[in-house]
Amino acid sequence: MRQPMTALERVHVTEVGPRDGLQNEERVLTTAEKVALVRALVAAGVKEFELTSFVSPRAVPALADAAELVAELKDVEGIHFSALVPNLRGAERALEAGIDSIVLFVSASQSHNAKNVNRSVKESLRDFEQIARALEGSPIELRGAIATTFGCPFEGNVDVRAVGNIARHFADIGVRYVSLGDTTGMATPPLVSERIWHLREVASGIEPTLHFHNTRGIGLANVMQGLALGVDRFESSIGGLGGCPFAPGASGNIASEDLVYLLTEMGIDTGIDLPRLIEAAHVATRLMGRPLPAQVSKAGPRLALSDCSAVPTARG
Amino acid sequence: MRQPMTALERVHVTEVGPRDGLQNEERVLTTAEKVALVRALVAAGVKEFELTSFVSPRAVPALADAAELVAELKDVEGIHFSALVPNLRGAERALEAGIDSIVLFVSASQSHNAKNVNRSVKESLRDFEQIARALEGSPIELRGAIATTFGCPFEGNVDVRAVGNIARHFADIGVRYVSLGDTTGMATPPLVSERIWHLREVASGIEPTLHFHNTRGIGLANVMQGLALGVDRFESSIGGLGGCPFAPGASGNIASEDLVYLLTEMGIDTGIDLPRLIEAAHVATRLMGRPLPAQVSKAGPRLALSDCSAVPTARG
């Protein structure tokens, strides 16, 4: 009786909890704790990870163990691990560590890029060309990420052409997968459509990955819009790890278990087993020592019998 | 540049916080506190409320002040107030109190209806006929609500024909608006489609209202599915009031401010002003004395400048 809502049969879910999720958390996990979390996620069937960043340990202490973490996971087979790098030096460290792909990141808005990497957008794009040349012939894959794709916390709305321009530059240096980052949760369904349509026009060589935050509660509504447009790559973090230290209670990335629950119920294959993913979410919750924003790991899968039917007996 | 995603230009949002939201909360509000909350919501442009229930005060102490609350709001003009009633006695109390409409409620699953109102579904439907006859010629409007429409916490999946059968009975006694209750958050996009299509076939006289809970995080994804099907009536609670006392952290109703944010950003008119709705959510948060699950009231509207850009400076 259940009909698929979309022609998509399979969707790729990249787990970004170890990087985007952990980098803003107050509690810094040890390398062994991160390894335990990643292994629990691998056991659930997760095949792609944004694992860490090769950035300044002073800037992001939570990810200072990037090389060590990659080394500790060397035995894990058939899994794609990526890491963010801001410049050539980071790329060289990532290459040396033996990561599968590096993610070159830039913001669509100037002021966010300046604050984030102390460069103009043009300078970042020039760095990327330099990195691409330096890594030519190496086994490492280059990917891209565009922060503030759907809006900037400093500038407000972001011109869709700024996103298209960066995507074209990525295509020019041979990047295929580009993540569209909803950095502070400003994406809306109409903006998702507008940006995807535009990229299909001006940078048809790239495959977009949608990376939503649930800051304003509509992360999975944006996923529905992405699915309706035929986008088949999404990023999420286990438990909804992340969030904003300045907005208590505000959510971070969309939660992997809520996303996989939605996709599975829509008849879309992710290769991920929901009950084991929920176990991984419980690992994350224990490690962080606080309740995480995800819902499915609290309520259980759909047919979990529930005590939550506290409706009134109403003979009155 | 923003294109409407749906042909809908206007959607009706009914606020159910004062009833569905408050009935499970540990903290019981005074009548004056409820009046303050309702008035804040009216000031934001909310035009329809599920205000209370005329049920046994022993069964639902939080709603024991039903008649008093209606009386206190007599001066509010142009607003539709409804109340749930389980039987003829409740209907008579509601009529006497002067409510605009009463909502006859029954569960699509037998075991939930037995636990909720100590009746078989058939007995409930017979009660409704009796109430309809007794109220003939009175100014009160009859509405319907079907709990466990998308699944039952005791029985699991619910046959769509059980929902269709109840909807037909409602149509037969002259009920036009029927709320489809996602009592414990088991709705999914394919189930939304299946149930709406079925009702259009077997009970075309009724207009469905979608009432989702965000228990598993996909409440607004289900709203997207409803909108794609052309459904233009939704129920939500301010702040996401409600939830399940047995699942700490699990959300209750979808949050009114997150829903109105989504609809407004999609170019759909609700008649509700988002900043003033967020003020009403802050009233609700103060009254409940705890953070509520809604996100938009924490993060602010989309273009609120945010300190939440704690991305790394990454010169490393």
Side-chain angles (χ1 to χ4, degrees), chain B residues 14-22 34-35 37-39 41-42 48-54 62-63 65-74 79-84 98-101 103:
Chain B
T14 297
E15 172 61 43
V16 301
R19 198 285 302 176
D20 198 9
L22 292 181
K34 292 180 190 176
V35 168
L37 178 57
V38 170
R39 288 192 193 274
L41 288 158
V42 168
E48 301 206 16
F49 287 83
E50 187 181 275
L51 188 66
T52 186
S53 298
F54 286 90
L63 306 182
D65 64 347
E68 201 184 335
L69 180 60
V70 178
E72 289 287 335
L73 292 163
K74 270 277 149 49
I79 309 291
H80 187 101
F81 291 117
S82 71
L84 265 66
I99 200 94
D100 297 305
S101 66
V103 181

Side-chain angles (χ1 to χ4, degrees), chain A residues 217-290:
Chain A
I218 68 169
L220 293 184
N222 288 324
V223 168
M224 290 293 285
Q225 193 66 26
L227 293 172
L229 294 160
V231 177
D232 64 352
R233 302 184 63 87
F234 294 88
E235 295 180 344
S236 58
S237 84
I238 190 69
L241 269 173
C244 168
F246 304 107
S251 292
N253 294 90
I254 56 170
S256 303
E257 62 266 47
D258 294 359
L259 173 64
V260 168
Y261 169 70
L262 174 65
L263 295 170
T264 305
E265 289 291 336
M266 290 177 77
I268 298 171
D269 180 27
T270 62
I272 299 172
D273 179 68
L274 185 64
R276 300 191 78 172
L277 190 65
I278 291 174
E279 286 173 32
H282 292 155
V283 171
T285 303
R286 272 198 305 276
L287 290 173
M288 302 317 295
R290 68 169 180 93

Side-chain angles (χ1 to χ4, degrees), chain A residues 1 5 24 59-60 86 115-116 150 153-154 157 184 186 194 216 225 244 251 295 300 302 305 308 310 312-314, chain B residues 1 5 24 59-60 86 115-116 150 153 157 184 186 194 216 225 244 251 295 300 302 305 308-310 312-314:
Chain A
M1 294 293 282
M5 296 299 101
N24 283 335
V60 194
K115 181 152 173 158
N116 200 27
F150 303 95
F154 311 118
N157 286 320
T184 55
M186 295 172 75
E194 183 206 42
R216 290 174 173 84
Q225 193 66 26
C244 168
S251 292
Q295 290 296 316
R302 191 173 162 270
L305 286 195
C308 194
T313 56
Chain B
M1 292 294 281
M5 295 299 101
N24 284 335
V60 194
K115 181 153 174 159
N116 201 26
F150 303 94
N157 286 321
T184 55
M186 296 171 75
E194 183 204 42
R216 290 173 174 85
Q225 192 66 26
C244 168
S251 292
Q295 291 296 316
R302 189 173 163 270
L305 286 195
C308 193
S309 57
T313 56

